[in-house]
Amino acid sequence: MKAARLLVLAFGLGIAATAARADLAEDIARDYAYLEDLYRHFHTHPELSLKEAQSAARIAAELESLGFAVTRGIGGHGVVAVMERGGGPTVMLRGDMDALPVEEQTGLPYASRVVAEDHLGNTVPVMHACGHDVHMTALVGVARRLAAMKDRWRGTLLLIAQPAEELGMGAKAMLEDGLFERFPRPDYALALHTAADLPAGHIGYAPGWAYANVDSVDILVKGRGGHGSRPESTKDPVVLAAYIVTALQTLVSREVPPGAPAVVTVGSIHGGTKHNIIPDEVRLQLTVRSFTDEVRAQLLEGIERIAVGQARSAGLPEELWPKVTLSDEFTPSGYNDPGLTERIVKVFESRFGAARVHRREPVMGGEDFGRYGREEPRIPSLLFWMGSVAAERVEAAARGGEPLPSLHSSRFAPLPEPTLKTGVEAMTAAALELLAKP
Ligand SMILES: [Zn+2]
Ligand SMILES: [Zn+2]
């Protein structure tokens, strides 16, 4: 009898949960026209890093109209919106706002034709080629749902619209502007990012290390130039640079343990003007990727050591040793808290079905969302990936057909409908899981 009653109760709860699931999806479907308009607006009006004034103003106005306490101008154009619903955890949801200096080639009717001045004074085309227009729209979409359902959760919701992600500067700027002192400090932090290789409507995740430390290093290789016919009277920086580029490959292959992901790429090499002139210098530009602080330190130390060591081996005097400069445009790696990831992935699987939720390999790309979780004491964080490409295109590419444009490509065009709906539903459900009433 008791067992039967429990069974009925459990069945009833199951029906209630299913009904609540269906409710959320239906509410989002009813809101969808509004969200797609907003998405097209953001897509057509992209703004470069550090220039996100209009996007920020629009998001601030949207969130204010929903009853959030909104503060503008945090760490540049950053927006912070707070809604407090009594005792409970504080959950931070982050969307980033900046676009890229890319000329859009998608052919979409709402494609960007924007040309603007970047923070260095260059005039460049501008496009949302990293899907941050999806992120902004999803943030507003989630805010609309959670504000409408505010009697169904408790705790504090902290929404942030972050500038300058592409420069690795925005999270740092918001934190330095007192994000976690002037506003409630989060117990959890969540973000989503579009994925250019997952079907729209699908979700990807990687527990643990998910994206990489990104460092930029410049090496000025010095020499003593002269006539190309008289190498004996010079110290040739071209040959030295070639040795340095080759020797740098041993960092990953011979020094970092095989199980620790690391990348050292020399993406740019420039020196000289003419066939028969040995130049005075060659410039190298490197991107350096790692997950842990230890591997990062090992790579950065190794680059300097190898560059100087090769110069010594070429017989250069100390005043002509290479100058190695580490850029302060550093993006820290991101760690998805395994416990939090497991908890949220369960929510996704029960809502969307396990076939639409994929465990994926970590990437060596960067995302400065990782910086929030690194603040001591560490904040359990999760960034998950939102599929954003038509399923048939993903399948065709997998069969060897037309390759999919990657993020930052001039042809990256997220499919708005399933992407936005799934993004809003996933993030709303994740927040509700953490803010559920006891
Ligand atoms: Zn990007
Ligand atoms: Zn991005």
Side-chain angles (χ1 to χ4, degrees), residues 115-141:
V115 174
E117 195 172 283
D118 71 8
H119 65 294
L120 301 173
N122 308 308
T123 299
V124 291
V126 190
M127 174 194 175
H128 267 299
C130 200
H132 298 186
D133 46 355
V134 172
H135 308 173
M136 287 190 277
T137 311
L139 189 72
V140 171

PDB file of all heavy atoms in Angstrom, residues 115-141:
ATOM      1  N   VAL A 115      31.822  48.934 -40.935  1.00  0.00           N
ATOM      2  CA  VAL A 115      33.270  49.218 -40.948  1.00  0.00           C
ATOM      3  C   VAL A 115      33.494  50.207 -39.811  1.00  0.00           C
ATOM      4  O   VAL A 115      32.731  51.160 -39.654  1.00  0.00           O
ATOM      5  CB  VAL A 115      33.703  49.832 -42.296  1.00  0.00           C
ATOM      6  CG1 VAL A 115      35.156  50.266 -42.250  1.00  0.00           C
ATOM      7  CG2 VAL A 115      33.476  48.836 -43.432  1.00  0.00           C
ATOM      8  N   ALA A 116      34.493  49.959 -38.993  1.00  0.00           N
ATOM      9  CA  ALA A 116      34.670  50.828 -37.821  1.00  0.00           C
ATOM     10  C   ALA A 116      36.142  50.927 -37.462  1.00  0.00           C
ATOM     11  O   ALA A 116      36.982  50.192 -37.985  1.00  0.00           O
ATOM     12  CB  ALA A 116      33.872  50.273 -36.635  1.00  0.00           C
ATOM     13  N   GLU A 117      36.423  51.823 -36.542  1.00  0.00           N
ATOM     14  CA  GLU A 117      37.795  52.011 -36.088  1.00  0.00           C
ATOM     15  C   GLU A 117      38.023  51.139 -34.865  1.00  0.00           C
ATOM     16  O   GLU A 117      37.213  51.131 -33.936  1.00  0.00           O
ATOM     17  CB  GLU A 117      38.010  53.484 -35.744  1.00  0.00           C
ATOM     18  CG  GLU A 117      39.471  53.856 -35.622  1.00  0.00           C
ATOM     19  CD  GLU A 117      39.654  55.362 -35.464  1.00  0.00           C
ATOM     20  OE1 GLU A 117      39.539  56.082 -36.473  1.00  0.00           O
ATOM     21  OE2 GLU A 117      39.881  55.798 -34.338  1.00  0.00           O
ATOM     22  N   ASP A 118      39.115  50.381 -34.887  1.00  0.00           N
ATOM     23  CA  ASP A 118      39.396  49.518 -33.725  1.00  0.00           C
ATOM     24  C   ASP A 118      40.140  50.306 -32.645  1.00  0.00           C
ATOM     25  O   ASP A 118      40.415  51.496 -32.804  1.00  0.00           O
ATOM     26  CB  ASP A 118      40.157  48.255 -34.159  1.00  0.00           C
ATOM     27  CG  ASP A 118      41.589  48.519 -34.569  1.00  0.00           C
ATOM     28  OD1 ASP A 118      42.082  49.653 -34.380  1.00  0.00           O
ATOM     29  OD2 ASP A 118      42.228  47.580 -35.079  1.00  0.00           O
ATOM     30  N   HIS A 119      40.473  49.625 -31.541  1.00  0.00           N
ATOM     31  CA  HIS A 119      41.057  50.332 -30.393  1.00  0.00           C
ATOM     32  C   HIS A 119      42.478  50.824 -30.679  1.00  0.00           C
ATOM     33  O   HIS A 119      43.029  51.584 -29.901  1.00  0.00           O
ATOM     34  CB  HIS A 119      41.026  49.437 -29.154  1.00  0.00           C
ATOM     35  CG  HIS A 119      41.881  48.205 -29.257  1.00  0.00           C
ATOM     36  ND1 HIS A 119      41.621  47.184 -30.141  1.00  0.00           N
ATOM     37  CD2 HIS A 119      43.002  47.848 -28.602  1.00  0.00           C
ATOM     38  CE1 HIS A 119      42.544  46.245 -30.007  1.00  0.00           C
ATOM     39  NE2 HIS A 119      43.392  46.625 -29.087  1.00  0.00           N
ATOM     40  N   LEU A 120      43.054  50.364 -31.807  1.00  0.00           N
ATOM     41  CA  LEU A 120      44.398  50.824 -32.167  1.00  0.00           C
ATOM     42  C   LEU A 120      44.349  51.914 -33.243  1.00  0.00           C
ATOM     43  O   LEU A 120      45.379  52.385 -33.699  1.00  0.00           O
ATOM     44  CB  LEU A 120      45.235  49.639 -32.673  1.00  0.00           C
ATOM     45  CG  LEU A 120      45.397  48.474 -31.677  1.00  0.00           C
ATOM     46  CD1 LEU A 120      46.091  47.287 -32.345  1.00  0.00           C
ATOM     47  CD2 LEU A 120      46.166  48.911 -30.436  1.00  0.00           C
ATOM     48  N   GLY A 121      43.116  52.253 -33.661  1.00  0.00           N
ATOM     49  CA  GLY A 121      42.977  53.321 -34.657  1.00  0.00           C
ATOM     50  C   GLY A 121      42.914  52.828 -36.097  1.00  0.00           C
ATOM     51  O   GLY A 121      42.872  53.628 -37.027  1.00  0.00           O
ATOM     52  N   ASN A 122      42.908  51.504 -36.324  1.00  0.00           N
ATOM     53  CA  ASN A 122      42.795  50.970 -37.685  1.00  0.00           C
ATOM     54  C   ASN A 122      41.324  50.897 -38.099  1.00  0.00           C
ATOM     55  O   ASN A 122      40.482  50.545 -37.280  1.00  0.00           O
ATOM     56  CB  ASN A 122      43.376  49.551 -37.763  1.00  0.00           C
ATOM     57  CG  ASN A 122      44.777  49.483 -37.209  1.00  0.00           C
ATOM     58  OD1 ASN A 122      45.647  50.251 -37.592  1.00  0.00           O
ATOM     59  ND2 ASN A 122      45.003  48.574 -36.261  1.00  0.00           N
ATOM     60  N   THR A 123      41.056  51.186 -39.367  1.00  0.00           N
ATOM     61  CA  THR A 123      39.692  51.059 -39.875  1.00  0.00           C
ATOM     62  C   THR A 123      39.525  49.648 -40.440  1.00  0.00           C
ATOM     63  O   THR A 123      40.281  49.233 -41.320  1.00  0.00           O
ATOM     64  CB  THR A 123      39.429  52.118 -40.953  1.00  0.00           C
ATOM     65  OG1 THR A 123      39.596  53.404 -40.347  1.00  0.00           O
ATOM     66  CG2 THR A 123      38.012  52.010 -41.485  1.00  0.00           C
ATOM     67  N   VAL A 124      38.570  48.924 -39.917  1.00  0.00           N
ATOM     68  CA  VAL A 124      38.427  47.501 -40.254  1.00  0.00           C
ATOM     69  C   VAL A 124      36.949  47.137 -40.409  1.00  0.00           C
ATOM     70  O   VAL A 124      36.087  47.779 -39.828  1.00  0.00           O
ATOM     71  CB  VAL A 124      39.029  46.602 -39.135  1.00  0.00           C
ATOM     72  CG1 VAL A 124      40.539  46.724 -39.095  1.00  0.00           C
ATOM     73  CG2 VAL A 124      38.439  46.928 -37.767  1.00  0.00           C
ATOM     74  N   PRO A 125      36.665  46.087 -41.212  1.00  0.00           N
ATOM     75  CA  PRO A 125      35.295  45.573 -41.245  1.00  0.00           C
ATOM     76  C   PRO A 125      34.994  44.866 -39.914  1.00  0.00           C
ATOM     77  O   PRO A 125      35.924  44.430 -39.232  1.00  0.00           O
ATOM     78  CB  PRO A 125      35.320  44.562 -42.390  1.00  0.00           C
ATOM     79  CG  PRO A 125      36.753  44.181 -42.540  1.00  0.00           C
ATOM     80  CD  PRO A 125      37.582  45.334 -42.068  1.00  0.00           C
ATOM     81  N   VAL A 126      33.706  44.781 -39.578  1.00  0.00           N
ATOM     82  CA  VAL A 126      33.341  44.210 -38.277  1.00  0.00           C
ATOM     83  C   VAL A 126      32.248  43.167 -38.464  1.00  0.00           C
ATOM     84  O   VAL A 126      31.294  43.388 -39.213  1.00  0.00           O
ATOM     85  CB  VAL A 126      32.833  45.300 -37.297  1.00  0.00           C
ATOM     86  CG1 VAL A 126      32.690  44.723 -35.895  1.00  0.00           C
ATOM     87  CG2 VAL A 126      33.756  46.501 -37.287  1.00  0.00           C
ATOM     88  N   MET A 127      32.406  42.042 -37.798  1.00  0.00           N
ATOM     89  CA  MET A 127      31.431  40.954 -37.902  1.00  0.00           C
ATOM     90  C   MET A 127      31.367  40.163 -36.597  1.00  0.00           C
ATOM     91  O   MET A 127      32.388  39.963 -35.937  1.00  0.00           O
ATOM     92  CB  MET A 127      31.860  39.998 -39.025  1.00  0.00           C
ATOM     93  CG  MET A 127      31.006  38.750 -39.128  1.00  0.00           C
ATOM     94  SD  MET A 127      31.775  37.480 -40.174  1.00  0.00           S
ATOM     95  CE  MET A 127      30.594  36.139 -39.921  1.00  0.00           C
ATOM     96  N   HIS A 128      30.177  39.693 -36.262  1.00  0.00           N
ATOM     97  CA  HIS A 128      30.038  38.755 -35.151  1.00  0.00           C
ATOM     98  C   HIS A 128      30.431  37.361 -35.650  1.00  0.00           C
ATOM     99  O   HIS A 128      29.590  36.528 -35.934  1.00  0.00           O
ATOM    100  CB  HIS A 128      28.611  38.751 -34.602  1.00  0.00           C
ATOM    101  CG  HIS A 128      28.453  39.699 -33.460  1.00  0.00           C
ATOM    102  ND1 HIS A 128      29.165  39.590 -32.296  1.00  0.00           N
ATOM    103  CD2 HIS A 128      27.687  40.804 -33.317  1.00  0.00           C
ATOM    104  CE1 HIS A 128      28.845  40.575 -31.474  1.00  0.00           C
ATOM    105  NE2 HIS A 128      27.952  41.331 -32.063  1.00  0.00           N
ATOM    106  N   ALA A 129      31.736  37.109 -35.752  1.00  0.00           N
ATOM    107  CA  ALA A 129      32.209  35.835 -36.297  1.00  0.00           C
ATOM    108  C   ALA A 129      32.493  34.810 -35.201  1.00  0.00           C
ATOM    109  O   ALA A 129      32.919  33.700 -35.492  1.00  0.00           O
ATOM    110  CB  ALA A 129      33.470  36.079 -37.127  1.00  0.00           C
ATOM    111  N   CYS A 130      32.262  35.179 -33.943  1.00  0.00           N
ATOM    112  CA  CYS A 130      32.495  34.227 -32.847  1.00  0.00           C
ATOM    113  C   CYS A 130      31.181  33.895 -32.137  1.00  0.00           C
ATOM    114  O   CYS A 130      31.171  33.251 -31.096  1.00  0.00           O
ATOM    115  CB  CYS A 130      33.527  34.788 -31.864  1.00  0.00           C
ATOM    116  SG  CYS A 130      34.300  33.510 -30.826  1.00  0.00           S
ATOM    117  N   GLY A 131      30.064  34.383 -32.695  1.00  0.00           N
ATOM    118  CA  GLY A 131      28.768  34.028 -32.106  1.00  0.00           C
ATOM    119  C   GLY A 131      28.421  34.782 -30.834  1.00  0.00           C
ATOM    120  O   GLY A 131      27.488  34.397 -30.122  1.00  0.00           O
ATOM    121  N   HIS A 132      29.125  35.865 -30.539  1.00  0.00           N
ATOM    122  CA  HIS A 132      28.783  36.600 -29.312  1.00  0.00           C
ATOM    123  C   HIS A 132      27.408  37.265 -29.427  1.00  0.00           C
ATOM    124  O   HIS A 132      26.804  37.610 -28.412  1.00  0.00           O
ATOM    125  CB  HIS A 132      29.877  37.614 -28.970  1.00  0.00           C
ATOM    126  CG  HIS A 132      31.220  36.982 -28.689  1.00  0.00           C
ATOM    127  ND1 HIS A 132      32.304  37.680 -28.254  1.00  0.00           N
ATOM    128  CD2 HIS A 132      31.639  35.688 -28.764  1.00  0.00           C
ATOM    129  CE1 HIS A 132      33.352  36.857 -28.083  1.00  0.00           C
ATOM    130  NE2 HIS A 132      32.962  35.641 -28.402  1.00  0.00           N
ATOM    131  N   ASP A 133      26.917  37.409 -30.674  1.00  0.00           N
ATOM    132  CA  ASP A 133      25.538  37.887 -30.846  1.00  0.00           C
ATOM    133  C   ASP A 133      24.538  36.858 -30.314  1.00  0.00           C
ATOM    134  O   ASP A 133      23.527  37.197 -29.705  1.00  0.00           O
ATOM    135  CB  ASP A 133      25.255  38.229 -32.324  1.00  0.00           C
ATOM    136  CG  ASP A 133      25.743  37.159 -33.295  1.00  0.00           C
ATOM    137  OD1 ASP A 133      26.393  36.179 -32.850  1.00  0.00           O
ATOM    138  OD2 ASP A 133      25.482  37.289 -34.509  1.00  0.00           O
ATOM    139  N   VAL A 134      24.867  35.576 -30.496  1.00  0.00           N
ATOM    140  CA  VAL A 134      24.040  34.503 -29.906  1.00  0.00           C
ATOM    141  C   VAL A 134      24.114  34.586 -28.383  1.00  0.00           C
ATOM    142  O   VAL A 134      23.099  34.482 -27.681  1.00  0.00           O
ATOM    143  CB  VAL A 134      24.532  33.107 -30.373  1.00  0.00           C
ATOM    144  CG1 VAL A 134      23.813  31.994 -29.601  1.00  0.00           C
ATOM    145  CG2 VAL A 134      24.336  32.941 -31.875  1.00  0.00           C
ATOM    146  N   HIS A 135      25.309  34.812 -27.871  1.00  0.00           N
ATOM    147  CA  HIS A 135      25.482  34.837 -26.406  1.00  0.00           C
ATOM    148  C   HIS A 135      24.682  35.974 -25.767  1.00  0.00           C
ATOM    149  O   HIS A 135      24.049  35.796 -24.729  1.00  0.00           O
ATOM    150  CB  HIS A 135      26.967  34.984 -26.042  1.00  0.00           C
ATOM    151  CG  HIS A 135      27.866  33.974 -26.706  1.00  0.00           C
ATOM    152  ND1 HIS A 135      29.231  34.038 -26.621  1.00  0.00           N
ATOM    153  CD2 HIS A 135      27.598  32.885 -27.467  1.00  0.00           C
ATOM    154  CE1 HIS A 135      29.768  33.031 -27.310  1.00  0.00           C
ATOM    155  NE2 HIS A 135      28.782  32.321 -27.827  1.00  0.00           N
ATOM    156  N   MET A 136      24.733  37.153 -26.404  1.00  0.00           N
ATOM    157  CA  MET A 136      23.986  38.304 -25.857  1.00  0.00           C
ATOM    158  C   MET A 136      22.488  38.034 -25.888  1.00  0.00           C
ATOM    159  O   MET A 136      21.773  38.307 -24.926  1.00  0.00           O
ATOM    160  CB  MET A 136      24.288  39.564 -26.676  1.00  0.00           C
ATOM    161  CG  MET A 136      25.665  40.129 -26.446  1.00  0.00           C
ATOM    162  SD  MET A 136      25.847  41.764 -27.226  1.00  0.00           S
ATOM    163  CE  MET A 136      26.228  41.307 -28.917  1.00  0.00           C
ATOM    164  N   THR A 137      22.026  37.500 -27.018  1.00  0.00           N
ATOM    165  CA  THR A 137      20.591  37.243 -27.155  1.00  0.00           C
ATOM    166  C   THR A 137      20.147  36.179 -26.157  1.00  0.00           C
ATOM    167  O   THR A 137      19.085  36.302 -25.530  1.00  0.00           O
ATOM    168  CB  THR A 137      20.270  36.776 -28.594  1.00  0.00           C
ATOM    169  OG1 THR A 137      20.881  37.675 -29.512  1.00  0.00           O
ATOM    170  CG2 THR A 137      18.782  36.720 -28.832  1.00  0.00           C
ATOM    171  N   ALA A 138      20.972  35.157 -25.985  1.00  0.00           N
ATOM    172  CA  ALA A 138      20.616  34.102 -25.028  1.00  0.00           C
ATOM    173  C   ALA A 138      20.563  34.659 -23.615  1.00  0.00           C
ATOM    174  O   ALA A 138      19.673  34.321 -22.833  1.00  0.00           O
ATOM    175  CB  ALA A 138      21.617  32.948 -25.114  1.00  0.00           C
ATOM    176  N   LEU A 139      21.500  35.555 -23.283  1.00  0.00           N
ATOM    177  CA  LEU A 139      21.502  36.139 -21.941  1.00  0.00           C
ATOM    178  C   LEU A 139      20.192  36.883 -21.685  1.00  0.00           C
ATOM    179  O   LEU A 139      19.559  36.722 -20.641  1.00  0.00           O
ATOM    180  CB  LEU A 139      22.701  37.090 -21.797  1.00  0.00           C
ATOM    181  CG  LEU A 139      22.958  37.616 -20.383  1.00  0.00           C
ATOM    182  CD1 LEU A 139      23.523  36.521 -19.495  1.00  0.00           C
ATOM    183  CD2 LEU A 139      23.918  38.815 -20.409  1.00  0.00           C
ATOM    184  N   VAL A 140      19.765  37.667 -22.676  1.00  0.00           N
ATOM    185  CA  VAL A 140      18.503  38.394 -22.527  1.00  0.00           C
ATOM    186  C   VAL A 140      17.334  37.400 -22.479  1.00  0.00           C
ATOM    187  O   VAL A 140      16.415  37.534 -21.666  1.00  0.00           O
ATOM    188  CB  VAL A 140      18.319  39.415 -23.678  1.00  0.00           C
ATOM    189  CG1 VAL A 140      16.918  40.020 -23.654  1.00  0.00           C
ATOM    190  CG2 VAL A 140      19.384  40.504 -23.591  1.00  0.00           C
ATOM    191  N   GLY A 141      17.388  36.381 -23.336  1.00  0.00           N
ATOM    192  CA  GLY A 141      16.310  35.381 -23.355  1.00  0.00           C
ATOM    193  C   GLY A 141      16.183  34.672 -22.013  1.00  0.00           C
ATOM    194  O   GLY A 141      15.068  34.460 -21.502  1.00  0.00           O
TER     195      GLY A 141
END
